[in-house]
Amino acid sequence: MKEISKWLMDVEGSAKRFYEKAALKFKEDAELSQMLKLLAEDEAGHYDAVKIIYDITLDTEGFDTDIMLDAETMNGTLSLLAGNEKKLDAGGMTKEELLDAVINIETSEHNDFFLYAIKVTQLRVEGLFKDASDISVHRARIERFIEARPEFS
């Protein structure tokens, strides 16, 4: 679990940074910028939850999991995030490309691993993460935004 939680910290931190930068880049579109700021806040909360898991793994022997992540999966997700951030930093990302990037980030398999890490830790530490695993709120925010904006539908 230590390796998975460390990787998830990297993923959630990268997603947060991407959303923060995108919110600034597209600040002239107040609705889009606000949605990106809220996504960044969500990612900060996800990062904090995974950091707790990572800290627990440092203090707990035998915190094994039933899954293994291969380097290709881990690096692929981080590469996707880095590529999106690089394109954004270079100024070459349109709003449509931004929304595609958001959808790719939010539908990548890392959210499944995030939920798995939360659930496994909840089994070991009662009462932990009552709200952290509600990815549906995160996804619904994106869906509502896209549905309300005909240019993205």
Side-chain angles (χ1 to χ4, degrees):
M1 183 61 84
K2 186 186 323 182
E3 182 181 19
I4 291 171
S5 58
K6 176 64 175 112
W7 171 71
L8 284 168
M9 286 169 52
D10 292 343
V11 169
E12 300 297 347
S14 294
K16 175 186 173 285
R17 187 173 58 247
F18 174 73
Y19 291 145
E20 288 172 337
K21 287 182 176 185
L24 288 174
K25 173 158 177 38
F26 293 99
K27 65 184 174 195
E28 77 286 345
D29 185 332
E31 289 178 335
L32 176 59
S33 183
Q34 181 60 29
M35 182 199 61
L36 293 164
K37 288 175 185 176
L38 291 172
L39 291 177
E41 288 175 16
D42 291 347
E43 298 301 343
H46 296 167
Y47 177 92
D48 292 344
V50 177
K51 174 76 168 91
I52 290 169
I53 294 170
Y54 180 76
D55 290 344
I56 290 170
T57 65
L58 295 176
D59 296 332
T60 307
E61 294 221 12
F63 200 158
D64 297 325
T65 63
D66 295 330
I67 61 170
M68 297 283 294
L69 281 174
D70 60 278
E72 184 178 345
T73 299
M74 294 169 78
N75 293 334
T77 302
L78 291 171
S79 292
L80 168 73
L81 288 160
N84 287 333
E85 188 172 353
K86 184 177 180 180
K87 186 167 186 170
L88 182 69
D89 288 346
M93 186 172 278
T94 66
K95 288 181 187 179
E96 291 77 15
E97 291 170 328
L98 171 66
L99 264 289
D100 284 343
V102 169
I103 291 167
N104 284 332
I105 291 167
E106 296 306 327
T107 59
S108 75
E109 66 276 355
H110 85 272
N111 280 327
D112 295 332
F113 292 114
F114 171 78
L115 290 173
Y116 175 81
I118 294 288
K119 291 193 184 304
V120 166
T121 306
Q122 284 174 325
L123 293 173
R124 291 176 167 261
V125 183
E126 192 174 324
L128 197 59
F129 308 130
K130 291 183 184 198
D131 298 323
S133 62
D134 197 357
I135 295 288
S136 61
V137 171
H138 192 65
R139 289 183 178 163
R141 180 177 290 124
I142 298 164
E143 290 169 1
R144 280 192 310 274
F145 176 81
I146 291 172
E147 288 171 2
R149 299 281 296 260
E151 70 268 32
F152 297 120
S153 300

